[in-house]
Amino acid sequence: MSRNVLAVIVIVAALILQVTVANRLLLPGSVIPDLVLLAVVALALVNGSLLGLVTGFFAGLATDIVPPSDHTIGRYALVYCLIGYVCGLAAPEMDRSPVLPFVAVAAGALAGSVLYALVGSMLGDPRARWPVVSHVVPLQAFYDVVASPFVVWAVLRLTTRAERQRNPAGLDPVPGFYRAR
Amino acid sequence: MNDTRRTRAVLGVLLLASLAMITVDYRGGDHSPLRGLRGFGEVIFGPIEHAATAVVRPVVGAFDTVTGSPGARRRINRLEKENQRLRQQLRTGQIDKRRADELDRLLGTAGLGGYRIVPAQVISAGEGLEDTVSIDVGSGNGIKPDMTVLTGDGLVGRVTRVGPSTSTVLLATDAASSVGGRLESSNEIGIVQGAGRRSGKALKFQLLDSTAPVRPGQRIVSFGSQGDRPYVPGVPIGTVATIERTPGSLTRTAVVRPFVHFTGLDVVGVVVTAPKRNPRDAVLPPAPSTPPPSVPPTPPPSPPPSAPASPKSTPAPRTTPRG
């Protein structure tokens, strides 16, 4: 399985899980972790910035048009594309410490929520007013960090399995938590 | 090599593409050429969501039961005892029964108000800051944009977009939603404005007449829009919880506690035919047996002689049968 196919599968799975399960859960504070953003960040950290930004753009576009969405098309595409690129830039550093990937995911998730709210308020979206945003963004970043180990773990597991299938002779070719191009 | 010139070129192109999409979609509004893209999304993702919902429904149901209660600990204890006795099959049976009860109540409401409805199930919910859901009926079931959506408890929202087998519903709590509302048994009208269910105060009611009497505990029904689109008259919305006083403001604002439990929506109904005559307060649930001390059990005094100017989307209620 190539990386591209893998990325498509991960994004579609995250998107469907997000709209059918996660968004309907009753979490305290009624804020939900953004699984698609987490998947984009994780894929970018594994695959580097080029694949990261392309993944981000198409994941965002899919989020923009998935049925219950009701905002200006292109907002998520813009935000996820930027986040994918920036997180991809950090990909080579990921081998240094086992904690680093999770810090990067947390930073990426926070930046993503803030950026989305910012684009919304620039477009005059009534949903992105300050009282709502100031309540939602910190909570959402917190939930993202809580949910990130699971998403990162799933993405890693899929990637290493794909790598192992490609060269079945050797041991796991990925030395650290992440392997960057 | 990670950050090559090619990467930057692709980044630039894709960023420009998304900015262009935002611009086109924003300028186009409801007639933007990119609406076709959303239709494409409905066709592709609608069936997948259908299938996924069938698989994950018990998960969501179980989660709701655990977290949705205020006395969670007590309830969890009881549920654990119950779970020991009940087999998996029985539990699924219970979930089905709850759904059947909801459907029963929904049909009762529809009969009371004289609405003709199409029952539907919520299959997915919106992302980020928006309060939208999609339901499992579409143009194939006679659904059109701007139809009222309700449950047995009260108003849910309106249909905004319709696909072949799914439709998108804008909830009344969304910040982009406003509904004409009328206070129970007085003719005071105002606008019920969504504040986002994530801001803590789900709904706000703006009285157009700032001198009109309003008390906590009074109930609000929908006012009805021109041609009964998007909102049919007489649907219960909520009760007034507190009143906000802003000195110098032209309108008075009340925080409204909605009848509908917006975070746990499951079975809803789409009104395909509006009632022949305005049901006024007939659909409201029976008044609570022990009214709060601040509210007298008698109806409020007769309304002031002149009703204030009605909002553009909500003309005067129709009480005569339509042709």
Side-chain angles (χ1 to χ4, degrees):
Chain A
M1 226 177 352
S2 79
R3 288 181 171 197
N4 300 337
V5 178
L6 197 72
V8 170
I9 293 175
V10 168
I11 292 300
V12 170
L15 188 60
I16 296 298
L17 265 181
Q18 176 87 50
V19 293
T20 57
V21 184
N23 284 354
R24 303 184 58 193
L25 294 182
L26 283 174
L27 294 177
S30 53
V31 176
I32 284 97
D34 192 338
L35 300 181
V36 183
L37 177 58
L38 289 177
V40 167
V41 172
L43 284 171
L45 287 178
V46 175
N47 292 332
S49 55
L50 177 58
L51 200 50
L53 77 92
V54 176
T55 314
F57 178 78
F58 285 104
L61 194 57
T63 312
D64 281 329
I65 63 170
V66 76
S69 63
D70 188 45
H71 54 259
T72 315
I73 290 179
R75 274 170 70 179
Y76 275 114
L78 178 74
V79 171
Y80 288 178
C81 182
L82 269 176
I83 296 294
Y85 174 69
V86 174
C87 286
L89 286 185
E93 313 296 319
M94 283 303 120
D95 288 340
R96 287 196 190 163
S97 146
V99 196
L100 215 53
F102 296 102
V103 176
V105 170
L110 180 63
S113 316
V114 171
L115 207 58
Y116 180 72
L118 211 65
V119 176
S121 59
M122 268 158 53
L123 289 172
D125 184 353
R127 292 156 184 150
R129 279 168 317 167
W130 176 243
V132 181
V133 170
S134 61
H135 167 78
V136 167
V137 167
L139 257 180
Q140 187 165 33
F142 171 73
Y143 277 122
D144 282 348
V145 172
V146 171
S148 65
F150 302 102
V151 178
V152 172
W153 176 81
V155 170
L156 271 186
R157 201 183 154 83
L158 278 172
T159 324
T160 45
R161 177 171 293 176
E163 299 276 352
R164 210 175 287 150
Q165 274 174 358
R166 218 181 290 161
N167 36 355
L171 284 168
D172 187 1
V174 184
F177 264 77
Y178 288 95
R179 179 173 162 275
R181 283 169 34 80
Chain B
M1 192 60 207
N2 199 13
D3 186 25
T4 56
R5 188 171 291 166
R6 178 156 159 262
T7 307
R8 287 191 190 165
V10 176
L11 177 72
V13 168
L14 291 186
L15 285 187
L16 272 182
S18 38
L19 283 176
M21 277 193 297
I22 293 178
T23 314
V24 169
D25 198 40
Y26 186 72
R27 294 295 299 255
D30 281 343
H31 307 287
S32 98
L34 290 178
R35 293 286 126 164
L37 214 54
R38 280 247 160 84
F40 178 72
E42 303 242 3
V43 172
I44 297 285
F45 289 109
I48 303 182
E49 284 181 11
H50 261 282
T53 307
V55 177
V56 301
R57 181 172 293 282
V59 181
V60 177
F63 197 88
D64 278 359
T65 326
V66 175
T67 57
S69 71
R73 187 176 294 277
R74 210 167 7 122
R75 201 147 174 189
I76 288 170
N77 279 340
R78 214 187 61 219
L79 275 178
E80 271 172 354
K81 276 184 200 151
E82 241 179 289
N83 272 352
Q84 286 172 357
R85 276 183 291 138
L86 296 175
R87 299 246 173 274
Q88 177 66 35
Q89 235 178 350
L90 268 180
R91 215 177 60 206
T92 1
Q94 262 189 347
I95 291 174
D96 285 348
K97 184 172 174 300
R98 205 189 64 208
R99 197 155 295 134
D101 286 348
E102 271 181 46
L103 198 58
D104 264 359
R105 285 228 318 286
L106 182 61
L107 292 176
T109 300
L112 220 53
Y115 312 115
R116 267 192 48 208
I117 60 160
V118 170
Q121 261 182 10
V122 173
I123 56 173
S124 63
E127 162 98 356
L129 301 170
E130 55 209 49
D131 288 0
T132 51
V133 295
S134 49
I135 53 178
D136 66 346
V137 291
S139 53
N141 308 76
I143 308 297
K144 294 190 187 70
D146 282 343
M147 282 179 166
T148 312
V149 181
L150 41 74
T151 67
D153 297 319
L155 183 77
V156 172
R158 65 183 164 93
V159 176
T160 49
R161 240 188 352 268
V162 179
S165 65
T166 53
S167 329
T168 302
V169 177
L170 182 75
L171 302 184
T173 53
D174 190 285
S177 148
S178 52
V179 188
R182 182 171 60 77
L183 277 176
E184 170 194 19
S185 60
S186 84
N187 278 331
E188 286 311 324
I189 58 168
I191 300 167
V192 178
Q193 184 84 42
R197 61 185 159 156
R198 291 173 177 92
S199 69
K201 303 164 185 169
L203 293 175
K204 289 191 171 177
F205 182 60
Q206 276 189 352
L207 268 175
L208 293 181
D209 181 358
S210 62
T211 59
V214 54
R215 285 181 308 275
Q218 274 187 308
R219 299 180 292 180
I220 299 171
V221 296
S222 72
F223 194 72
S225 318
Q226 188 143 31
D228 297 323
R229 293 283 200 81
Y231 295 107
V232 294
V235 185
I237 297 176
T239 39
V240 175
T242 53
I243 294 149
E244 288 180 354
R245 276 174 212 286
T246 324
S249 165
L250 284 179
T251 58
R252 210 141 41 124
T253 309
V255 177
V256 175
R257 197 173 332 109
F259 287 127
V260 174
H261 182 212
F262 277 98
T263 43
L265 287 174
D266 191 11
V267 175
V268 298
V270 185
V271 179
V272 288
T273 310
K276 284 225 162 42
R277 66 173 57 228
N278 187 344
R280 315 245 350 139
D281 300 337
V283 195
L284 276 171
S289 52
T290 49
S294 59
V295 183
T298 50
S302 61
S306 67
S310 60
K312 209 169 66 183
S313 64
T314 54
R318 229 190 318 274
T319 47
T320 50
R322 281 185 299 135

